[in-house]
Amino acid sequence: MTMTEIRYIVTGMSCGHCVASITEEVCEVSGVSEVSVDLPSNEVTVRGATLDDEQVRAAITEAGYSVTGVV
Amino acid sequence: MTMTEIRYIVTGMSCGHCVASITEEVCEVSGVSEVSVDLPSNEVTVRGATLDDEQVRAAITEAGYSVTGVV
């Protein structure tokens, strides 16, 4: 099974609490199997068998952050 | 009844989640009636009828932050 990966640039993440909030929301999206957040680069990397970009973006917004682009 | 106030300088606070964590812990300290956090100045202001400085500092540490001084 192929793994898809999308790397989002997200603004407003500043600490471990932010990482936890985003990880929690995005993990709940169907198809997502892995979420990793890198604070210094503002990157949220999402992996899964099938990724719905729109749903992932909605989850990040729901957590209170803004997607400003993809890498 | 006189209100006492202590203003602590606290490092490591970076976002609203940090404010919530500190406020929650410090509010639980006996005698504390008000906690306000100002992120830009790194200040945590604590007010109450009787304040136990040591217990307030312990609560801030418990929340995961460091008191570096008082104003």
Side-chain angles (χ1 to χ4, degrees):
Chain A
M1 195 163 64
T2 319
M3 193 76 118
T4 308
E5 177 182 301
I6 310 178
R7 286 161 69 198
Y8 300 91
I9 301 294
V10 176
T11 55
M13 307 185 298
S14 53
C15 74
H17 298 115
C18 301
V19 173
S21 297
I22 291 212
T23 304
E24 198 184 326
E25 283 294 338
V26 175
C27 276
E28 284 172 9
V29 175
S30 171
V32 170
S33 58
E34 210 182 313
V35 180
S36 66
V37 179
D38 183 59
L39 285 180
S41 63
N42 296 314
E43 278 182 38
V44 176
T45 303
V46 183
R47 292 189 190 87
T50 53
L51 292 180
D52 182 328
D53 176 56
E54 227 168 278
Q55 278 187 41
V56 172
R57 286 169 183 259
I60 293 171
T61 304
E62 179 66 29
Y65 303 89
S66 301
V67 174
T68 58
V70 290
V71 184
Chain B
M1 194 163 65
T2 321
M3 195 76 119
T4 308
E5 177 182 299
I6 310 178
R7 286 163 68 198
Y8 299 90
I9 300 295
V10 175
T11 56
M13 307 184 299
S14 51
C15 73
H17 297 113
C18 300
V19 172
S21 297
I22 291 212
T23 304
E24 198 184 325
E25 283 292 339
V26 176
C27 276
E28 285 173 7
V29 175
S30 171
V32 170
S33 58
E34 209 182 315
V35 180
S36 66
V37 178
D38 183 60
L39 284 180
S41 63
N42 295 314
E43 278 183 36
V44 176
T45 304
V46 184
R47 292 187 191 87
T50 53
L51 292 179
D52 182 329
D53 176 56
E54 227 167 279
Q55 279 188 40
V56 173
R57 285 170 184 259
I60 293 171
T61 304
E62 179 66 28
Y65 303 88
S66 300
V67 175
T68 58
V70 289
V71 184

